[in-house]
Amino acid sequence: MQEALYIIKTLNSKGYISYFAGGWVRDYLLDHPSEDIDIASNAPPEVVESLFPHTIPIGKAFGIILVIIKNKQYEVATFRHDIEYKDGRRPSKIEFSSPEIDSKRRDFTINGMFYDPMSEEIIDYVNGREDLNKKIIRCIGNAHTRFREDRLRMIRAVRMSARFNFEIEKETKRAITTHAEELFPSVAIERIWQELTKMSQYQGFKKALIMLFEFNLLQTIFPGLKNLSLDEVKDRLSIIDDFPHRSPVIVSILELFPEFGLEQKQDLCRYLKLSNRQVDFVTFLHNGIYYIKNENKIDDHSWAYFYANHFYELVIDILAIHVKAEKRKDFLLKHEKKQKVLQKYIDRIKNNDPLLKSDHLKLCNVKPGILMGQLLKEGEKISINKKLTDPHKIIEELKKTKLWPKK
């Protein structure tokens, strides 16, 4: 806050108007003040750059300069008027303007207010404070125009409605439904995923996803949902608000596709352009579901590797949510006990320290190569499943397999 006030005072001292803007003002009026402060000013971007020693021109063409003070970053944007939107996401041309005109180019009334920290005054040209008191999400001006300008605003409206438990005003609702199928190609899937991620950080993620479906946005993002009824979507999402808070967003999205096999889940991850780590997580989660459903068919070797995986603790907590509440404690206790029984093998796996090593096989005239790798892997499996602690006994068992080289 002090750094933001310093920026305001510096701009004011040079004769420029400057305010806190947008989301910070909204949250301040909701009694949720934060350190995430954006600043709007009539100072041109070149002036902002000249007044502060550490700046980054992150959007200079749109009048946006990032000012960095004591490792804290603040966006300083020049009041502007957006002239022309061609791609359904960003203006292709702007003009610098006044605070009133700047406020009326913004998305929703509750995000269109300014705050002067020097006079402690709210500057509201769009009746944002009134809508905030009424708990309403309303587009500034014509809703159809706002969404044609930036189609991502449709998803933002749902996110804010779910986050604050606000009603979306009827004309804004109508415009979202009208333009929902125009989401692509204007909006990149990465930006949509960022919005879904933000939604998941607050209570009511299930409500947000259901609203997206009601507005025809969810099935635009995921065409495979088009033939589902609202009741089916609600049923599939019934447990997601109970998932551990640290669960990746994809865990909740996968609940919409219970029939998906592993390859389809991985394809979904690629469609959403998720990281390799998230793909690995989805793969491990899928295998975990299979293990739980077929637990009596899974050998100790497989369970040991399952428990040794760094995703295990989160995945077992996620899987527990799928168990009836009255049986959940027993489910977790059973795996805790099984894990303790296998702990020494789990530790060996984590430390990459198998009982049977390449030196043992070399003494049996097995040469380094693909076969040795296969024998070492099979030897580890045998040692865990048969509870063997002597490498020589493991080799005796290996000699009974088809892998062992014939003389």
Side-chain angles (χ1 to χ4, degrees):
M1 173 68 84
Q2 292 305 312
E3 294 79 12
L5 288 173
Y6 170 74
I7 294 171
I8 295 284
K9 289 176 182 177
T10 302
L11 291 167
N12 288 359
S13 71
K14 299 300 180 181
Y16 295 103
I17 300 169
S18 52
Y19 303 134
F20 292 172
W24 186 92
V25 185
R26 176 200 69 219
D27 291 348
Y28 171 74
L29 291 173
L30 289 171
D31 200 26
H32 299 300
S34 72
E35 292 296 314
D36 185 14
I37 301 172
D38 290 337
I39 295 168
S41 173
N42 63 347
E46 293 80 10
V47 170
V48 176
E49 287 181 308
S50 70
L51 291 176
F52 302 98
H54 194 182
T55 63
I56 302 174
I58 59 170
K60 192 171 182 179
F62 299 99
I64 303 172
I65 301 296
L66 196 68
V67 176
I68 301 173
I69 300 174
K70 295 182 180 178
N71 294 320
K72 294 183 179 179
Q73 301 181 350
Y74 299 91
E75 276 191 19
V76 180
T78 306
F79 298 128
R80 75 175 196 243
H81 172 49
D82 296 337
I83 303 292
E84 179 176 34
Y85 284 79
K86 288 184 177 179
D87 63 359
R89 272 294 286 129
R90 292 181 177 83
S92 54
K93 187 179 179 182
I94 68 158
E95 288 180 354
F96 296 138
S97 63
S98 66
E100 183 173 0
I101 292 173
D102 183 89
S103 69
K104 291 179 180 179
R105 69 158 178 95
R106 294 172 181 261
D107 52 8
F108 307 108
T109 57
I110 63 171
N111 293 337
M113 296 174 283
F114 301 112
Y115 174 73
D116 185 343
M118 297 296 99
S119 64
E120 298 185 345
E121 178 188 5
I122 299 292
I123 297 95
D124 182 6
Y125 299 105
V126 294
N127 294 323
R129 197 164 192 172
E130 181 180 344
D131 282 345
L132 203 63
N133 291 334
K134 291 180 178 178
K135 298 185 176 182
I136 288 174
I137 307 294
R138 185 197 311 270
C139 280
I140 295 172
N142 184 286
H144 294 277
T145 301
R146 294 287 83 82
F147 294 138
R148 279 194 294 263
E149 288 171 346
D150 183 355
R151 290 177 173 85
L152 189 64
R153 286 171 174 166
M154 296 185 285
I155 296 179
R156 286 201 199 107
V158 173
R159 171 165 62 84
M160 285 191 295
S161 174
R163 176 186 174 187
F164 299 119
N165 198 26
F166 282 14
E167 180 71 20
I168 299 178
E169 176 267 337
K170 65 178 181 179
E171 289 301 322
T172 303
K173 276 184 181 179
R174 188 175 292 125
I176 294 173
T177 304
T178 299
H179 299 284
E181 292 184 356
E182 301 168 14
L183 193 64
F184 298 119
S186 299
V187 184
I189 194 67
E190 294 95 329
R191 286 296 292 114
I192 291 171
W193 189 249
Q194 286 175 14
E195 286 296 315
L196 292 174
T197 301
K198 289 177 182 178
M199 285 180 192
S200 74
Q201 293 169 356
Y202 300 98
Q203 285 187 342
F205 187 36
K206 176 171 66 177
K207 178 182 176 181
L209 291 175
I210 290 169
M211 287 175 65
L212 287 173
F213 185 82
E214 290 175 313
F215 288 130
N216 202 32
L217 286 164
L218 195 65
Q219 52 271 57
T220 297
I221 300 167
F222 304 109
L225 303 177
K226 285 187 176 178
N227 294 325
L228 292 185
S229 69
L230 178 60
D231 285 341
E232 285 174 311
V233 169
K234 288 179 177 179
D235 184 60
R236 292 184 182 193
L237 294 173
S238 61
I239 63 171
I240 70 167
D241 281 346
D242 295 328
F243 283 150
H245 186 66
R246 65 194 190 281
S247 302
V249 187
I250 188 62
V251 174
S252 295
I253 299 302
L254 286 172
E255 291 295 307
L256 290 163
F257 305 98
E259 76 283 2
F260 271 14
L262 178 57
E263 189 172 337
Q264 290 170 300
K265 291 177 182 179
Q266 292 171 338
D267 285 344
L268 180 64
C269 291
R270 285 187 279 270
Y271 165 69
L272 294 168
K273 299 190 177 179
L274 304 188
S275 67
N276 289 337
R277 179 178 173 80
Q278 292 197 69
V279 176
D280 290 342
F281 181 87
V282 166
T283 302
F284 184 73
L285 175 61
H286 176 86
N287 291 336
I289 294 169
Y290 176 82
Y291 279 24
I292 298 304
K293 286 182 177 178
N294 301 276
E295 56 182 308
N296 294 328
K297 298 178 183 178
I298 307 301
D299 62 18
D300 284 346
H301 169 260
S302 298
W303 280 120
Y305 271 85
F306 180 69
Y307 295 136
N309 191 287
H310 57 284
F311 291 134
Y312 163 71
E313 289 186 2
L314 176 54
V315 163
I316 203 69
D317 286 344
I318 291 168
L319 294 175
I321 301 303
H322 291 83
V323 177
K324 289 181 180 179
E326 62 270 20
K327 296 182 178 180
R328 203 168 288 164
K329 185 176 179 181
D330 289 339
F331 170 83
L332 291 170
L333 187 61
K334 178 177 67 176
H335 283 282
E336 184 181 330
K337 288 179 177 177
K338 192 170 185 66
Q339 190 177 4
K340 285 181 179 178
V341 169
L342 297 172
Q343 193 59 54
K344 63 181 178 182
Y345 308 111
I346 295 168
D347 291 340
R348 286 211 317 249
I349 293 166
K350 287 182 175 180
N351 296 326
N352 194 24
D353 185 28
L355 275 177
L356 184 68
K357 296 180 171 58
S358 57
D359 286 345
H360 297 123
L361 294 178
K362 286 176 185 177
L363 292 173
C364 297
N365 296 318
V366 177
K367 295 180 180 179
I370 294 174
L371 177 60
M372 177 177 280
Q374 292 173 333
L375 288 167
L376 288 171
K377 189 173 182 179
E378 185 65 20
E380 179 71 359
K381 185 175 181 179
I382 289 169
S383 72
I384 296 174
N385 286 337
K386 298 199 172 186
K387 308 297 182 288
L388 300 179
T389 57
D390 184 344
H392 301 292
K393 289 186 178 180
I394 297 171
I395 290 174
E396 286 178 17
E397 292 297 322
L398 274 175
K399 288 179 178 180
K400 299 174 185 177
T401 69
K402 293 179 181 181
L403 276 176
W404 193 261
K406 307 301 178 190
K407 292 184 179 179

